[in-house]
Amino acid sequence: MPPGKQRTTAHAHRASIPYRRTSLACVRCRGRKTKCSGDLPSCRTCRAGNHGCIYLEQERKVQVPEFYLRDLEARVRAYEQSQAPIPKAPSPSFPASASLNPKGSGETEEFGENPLTEGMAHLVMTPSGQRHYLGNSSSTSFGLRLRSFVETLSRFDHDLSIEVQCPTYNPAAWPKRRPSLTKVPQLPPYGFAKRLYKAQFVYIGTIFSFVEPHVFEARLQKAYNQIPDLSDREACLSYSQVLIILAYGQLYSVNQWDGHDGPPGFDYFMQALQFLPDIHDEGSVLFVEVLSLAGYFMQNLNRRDAAFLYTGLALRMAISLGLHQEIDDPEIDNKAREHRRRLWWSVYSMDRILCAKSGNPITILDEDIGVSHPSRLPECEPEVGPATVLLHYTELSRILGKIMNSIYRKNHKPDLVASVYNIMTDLNNWRRDLPQELQFDPNKLGKDISRESVSIFLHYYQCINMTARPLLFRMVQKRLATGGKGEDTDWRVHLSPTAIAVIEACITAARDSTIMMYSAAKQNLVATYGFMDGEHIFSAAIVLVMINLAFPFNERDRKSMKMALEVLCGMAEKGNSHMRARHELLMKLCNIATIPCRGTETSPASFGGKDTGEDPATLYVTPSTIPATNFPLFENEPGLLQSIGSLDGGIWEEGYGNIDIGIDLDWTHWTEAVQGT
């Protein structure tokens, strides 16, 4: 082929190739799809039209001296080391030279706080007059804020039309369930009913606030005067609450099996359920109270799933009523506001505890709560009263949520040592800030003990137990699997000071929980069918059994284990079949291990319900010597938290990374480890 023909063909081939724009092409050349020379400050096309080149900021390449580039890199490293936030680059949607400042000063105007989250929450009225909560992201709430702002400027008359939620159906056509009563409940004598209220108040009234004494007495009088109108939802709820309170009173005062279909108070509780409205009915503060009480009683019956559902309904209904926020409503006085706060934090604590005990995720994050903490009413309450107890009990529940999120979340892999350290520090601070009136006095052990003090400190010890439990379990597993239980080697060998402190805190908390409940049992202050009492003593007992099986013999721990098993046995002998099963499980573990009780003539198989005759005060460790309270010592040793990598990092990872040993220990692996020894 002639050379000229070849050139013509090659030229035609190049012409068929799509035009590829260079990265330096200016905006005008890109739009016209013409070749851009990429010359600075302007290309030939723009110069011909007397225009300046405009380049996309994120693609424009600029030559800078090397020393300037090195200086920028050094500044970035300095920012990263100081953990200072690096300013974000301008959005590509706006030219870098554009200014949001109308004065043209070149500085951007700060937006400040989100105006839609300022102030208090809004409530809207339903057609029946009930008030319900509206969150800040609601379009109706946005409209209310806009109207409020316009009214302020224009001084319009206040219009409630937007606050009324108009239904899309005929309210009269909504189905209403009428309770079908087989028989009218027979109430006890009025004076005895008030005694039953006081009995339940001792156990749950001091840590939860569901119904005030004067409110209950008014509802009790109404219940004795007339049978409720079954078509009146609030009347049915009031009557149901009275029956549940009587059920609690019998449960805690009789405190043992009395030969009926269930524990004491079971009949009253079954009758109370008949008066509960359907869930699709409108919510109310009274409805939240009744659902909470019903859920907690379900847990006392060991109906875990039902308790979780009822308590979850109570929490969601409380949210729908705005109890979790401070609300803007002039019709609610100070007492009603305070009751809303206390009711919210009561449901909050109950939900956190039930979620933790059942291993379920927590229902609401602390960041989503805006209501104030409970506080006393200065005109009618003492300096340290129910509000103070609820406040500190709630703080423990908040820490419990932190434990659930930091340690027991399946897909959450935080810095384990730092998380445990922070939780232990929070618990230490809680213990330090507790008022003197609520401090536990070891001198009263075996003499006079306050039930509210027992409830608070059992919650405190349980938080320590749950924080340290995975690490302790992994350590016990390793010693049992290698036959370490029969050796006198110190378990602290090859462990970092942090790990030792955590395990010792767990052991001490289990020991002190046992001593506290053992002393309370002597005064008949342990609830035989109480859900939390049973959980606390079993959690303490399993820890003490574990360390007696795997660690070298210790007289104090052996005596504490005997006490824990005796308290469990006492609850079982009074009719709690659930505690009987747990007691038998621990006894089987002791029998499988066949560990001789060095220093005593008693074998593990002989642990029963007889009184050991031990003085609990001789075993109690004062809070100032609990290892958990010594965690602030680590603040002066910043390198200590990092030192575990060369000591026991594997144990931390194995213990806290094993989901099987979460809230409920994996009894199969546990028993196999014991049998393997």
Side-chain angles (χ1 to χ4, degrees):
M1 182 176 293
K5 183 66 174 178
Q6 291 180 357
R7 287 194 297 270
T8 303
T9 305
H11 178 75
H13 176 69
R14 285 195 302 270
S16 65
I17 299 177
Y19 167 68
R20 296 182 180 179
R21 292 169 296 191
T22 66
S23 60
L24 290 177
C26 65
V27 174
R28 182 170 287 101
C29 291
R30 285 175 180 267
R32 299 176 60 183
K33 295 184 179 180
T34 59
K35 187 175 181 180
C36 182
S37 63
D39 297 333
L40 298 176
S42 62
C43 64
R44 287 190 292 271
T45 303
C46 294
R47 285 200 300 270
N50 294 325
H51 300 293
C53 282
I54 301 177
Y55 293 90
L56 296 179
E57 290 290 335
Q58 71 271 27
E59 294 185 359
R60 182 177 178 179
K61 296 180 181 180
V62 183
Q63 294 182 350
V64 295
E66 183 177 359
F67 78 89
Y68 181 67
L69 179 63
R70 302 303 180 197
D71 180 63
L72 290 178
E73 292 176 348
R75 292 186 182 185
V76 171
R77 285 194 297 269
Y79 269 120
E80 292 175 348
Q81 293 175 359
S82 63
Q83 297 182 351
I86 301 177
K88 295 183 179 179
S91 172
S93 301
F94 298 96
S97 60
S99 175
L100 297 179
N101 194 326
K103 296 182 179 180
S105 62
E107 298 179 358
T108 59
E109 184 182 85
E110 295 292 340
F111 284 99
E113 297 294 334
N114 185 353
L116 299 183
T117 60
E118 297 174 352
M120 296 186 178
H122 286 97
L123 297 180
V124 296
M125 289 191 300
T126 62
S128 62
Q130 294 290 333
R131 295 177 179 268
H132 290 260
Y133 166 72
L134 271 182
N136 294 320
S137 61
S138 166
S139 298
T140 305
S141 177
F142 181 54
L144 290 173
R145 290 183 182 275
L146 176 61
R147 190 200 64 188
S148 177
F149 176 72
V150 173
E151 286 177 349
T152 302
L153 296 179
S154 306
R155 299 179 181 178
F156 289 163
D157 294 334
H158 188 63
D159 182 16
L160 293 176
S161 58
I162 194 174
E163 294 186 6
V164 179
Q165 298 296 290
C166 300
T168 56
Y169 61 91
N170 179 13
W174 191 259
K176 298 288 185 181
R177 182 180 67 88
R178 301 293 185 266
S180 56
L181 299 178
T182 55
K183 61 179 181 179
V184 178
Q186 183 178 359
L187 301 178
Y190 185 80
F192 189 74
K194 295 179 66 174
R195 289 175 56 188
L196 292 180
Y197 172 83
K198 292 180 180 179
Q200 67 83 32
F201 187 83
V202 170
Y203 285 90
I204 62 176
T206 54
I207 56 176
F208 300 133
S209 180
F210 294 123
V211 54
E212 300 295 332
H214 67 280
V215 175
F216 174 76
E217 186 166 359
R219 291 172 181 168
L220 184 64
Q221 290 177 355
K222 187 176 181 179
Y224 276 88
N225 292 333
Q226 60 183 16
I227 298 296
D229 180 3
L230 299 184
S231 63
D232 187 342
R233 182 200 59 191
E234 291 297 298
C236 289
L237 283 171
S238 178
Y239 201 79
S240 177
Q241 186 183 63
V242 169
L243 293 175
I244 295 178
I245 292 296
L246 297 180
Y248 275 109
Q250 279 197 346
L251 184 75
Y252 293 133
S253 58
V254 177
N255 213 26
Q256 64 182 5
W257 187 266
D258 56 0
H260 296 290
D261 295 331
F266 182 78
D267 291 340
Y268 281 132
F269 182 68
M270 291 296 103
Q271 293 168 342
L273 293 180
Q274 299 181 67
F275 289 91
L276 283 181
D278 288 320
I279 300 304
H280 61 249
D281 282 349
E282 285 188 317
S284 65
V285 171
L286 178 56
F287 208 163
V288 174
E289 296 172 357
V290 175
L291 287 174
S292 303
L293 290 168
Y296 191 62
F297 201 94
M298 287 287 188
Q299 191 67 67
N300 290 337
L301 297 176
N302 200 29
R303 294 289 304 273
R304 176 180 297 180
D305 291 339
F308 181 67
L309 293 175
Y310 271 85
T311 306
L313 287 171
L315 188 75
R316 287 183 175 272
M317 186 175 291
I319 293 174
S320 71
L321 297 173
L323 268 63
H324 67 305
Q325 300 287 347
E326 291 294 336
I327 50 91
D328 183 12
D329 191 343
E331 296 184 8
I332 300 180
D333 58 19
N334 290 336
K335 287 187 177 181
R337 286 181 183 276
E338 182 59 29
H339 177 64
R340 289 170 60 94
R341 297 186 188 110
R342 297 183 188 184
L343 177 58
W344 165 256
W345 291 116
S346 299
V347 180
Y348 168 91
S349 284
M350 184 174 290
D351 178 74
R352 284 286 169 94
I353 292 170
L354 294 186
C355 287
K357 301 301 184 185
S358 59
N360 293 316
I362 60 176
T363 309
I364 185 171
L365 299 176
D366 292 332
E367 293 79 4
D368 296 326
I369 302 173
V371 67
S372 301
H373 288 94
S375 59
R376 74 181 188 93
L377 297 171
E379 64 273 9
C380 58
E381 291 184 341
E383 287 291 337
V384 178
T388 309
V389 176
L390 178 60
L391 172 64
H392 292 278
Y393 198 87
T394 299
E395 178 61 18
L396 285 176
S397 300
R398 185 195 64 80
I399 298 175
L400 183 61
K402 188 175 181 180
I403 295 171
M404 294 292 294
N405 281 334
S406 301
I407 296 178
Y408 290 99
R409 282 179 69 181
K410 186 174 182 179
N411 297 324
H412 189 52
K413 304 277 186 190
D415 186 341
L416 297 176
V417 188
S419 297
V420 173
Y421 168 77
N422 290 333
I423 292 170
M424 288 295 193
T425 301
D426 288 346
L427 291 170
N428 177 64
N429 294 336
W430 177 92
R431 180 68 178 79
R432 180 197 61 202
D433 297 337
L434 194 66
Q436 185 61 38
E437 292 82 354
L438 298 178
Q439 297 283 355
F440 185 74
D441 186 0
N443 296 324
K444 293 183 178 180
L445 283 171
K447 302 174 184 178
D448 183 21
I449 188 171
S450 167
R451 177 62 214 193
E452 64 185 18
S453 181
V454 171
S455 298
I456 291 177
F457 274 91
L458 288 178
H459 195 14
Y460 165 67
Y461 293 137
Q462 183 71 352
C463 288
I464 298 176
N465 186 312
M466 291 186 61
T467 303
R469 182 189 293 174
L471 183 62
L472 173 65
F473 183 81
R474 180 58 66 199
M475 189 66 191
V476 169
Q477 263 191 334
K478 285 184 173 293
R479 288 182 63 86
L480 290 178
T482 58
K485 75 174 185 65
E487 303 174 2
D488 289 327
T489 57
D490 191 350
W491 60 269
R492 300 171 182 83
V493 176
H494 304 308
L495 289 182
S496 67
T498 308
I500 294 173
V502 170
I503 294 176
E504 286 183 342
C506 185
I507 297 173
T508 305
R511 186 190 304 131
D512 291 347
S513 295
T514 298
I515 295 168
M516 186 172 291
M517 289 204 67
Y518 185 85
S519 301
K522 287 187 173 183
Q523 300 181 39
N524 196 29
L525 285 178
V526 170
T528 298
Y529 294 94
F531 156 65
M532 279 196 273
D533 279 6
E535 284 292 322
H536 290 149
I537 189 58
F538 178 71
S539 296
I542 184 61
V543 168
L544 294 170
V545 168
M546 288 167 64
I547 62 175
N548 275 278
L549 292 178
F551 291 0
F553 174 77
N554 179 283
E555 181 68 22
R556 174 182 289 173
D557 293 334
R558 183 58 53 84
K559 290 180 179 179
S560 298
M561 182 180 69
K562 290 181 182 180
M563 287 184 177
L565 292 173
E566 286 176 13
V567 175
L568 276 174
C569 183
M571 298 175 75
E573 289 178 346
K574 289 184 177 181
N576 191 327
S577 58
H578 186 53
M579 290 298 107
R580 180 185 297 112
R582 290 187 164 190
H583 177 260
E584 291 175 354
L585 171 65
L586 295 182
M587 293 301 299
K588 287 179 181 178
L589 291 176
C590 292
N591 291 332
I592 290 173
T594 61
I595 306 173
C597 296
R598 287 166 287 183
T600 66
E601 297 179 355
T602 308
S603 65
S606 66
F607 294 162
K610 296 182 180 180
D611 191 349
T612 61
E614 296 289 347
D615 182 7
T618 62
L619 303 178
Y620 183 77
V621 180
T622 57
S624 60
T625 59
I626 292 177
T629 63
N630 293 332
F631 269 80
L633 294 176
F634 299 157
E635 296 176 358
N636 300 324
E637 303 177 47
L640 186 58
L641 297 180
Q642 287 75 28
S643 66
I644 67 161
S646 59
L647 294 173
D648 50 19
I651 296 179
W652 285 86
E653 292 292 341
E654 292 172 2
Y656 290 92
N658 190 340
I659 303 302
D660 292 339
I661 59 171
I663 305 302
D664 292 326
L665 298 179
D666 190 329
W667 298 112
T668 303
H669 296 321
W670 185 192
T671 307
E672 288 175 354
V674 176
Q675 290 175 332
T677 62

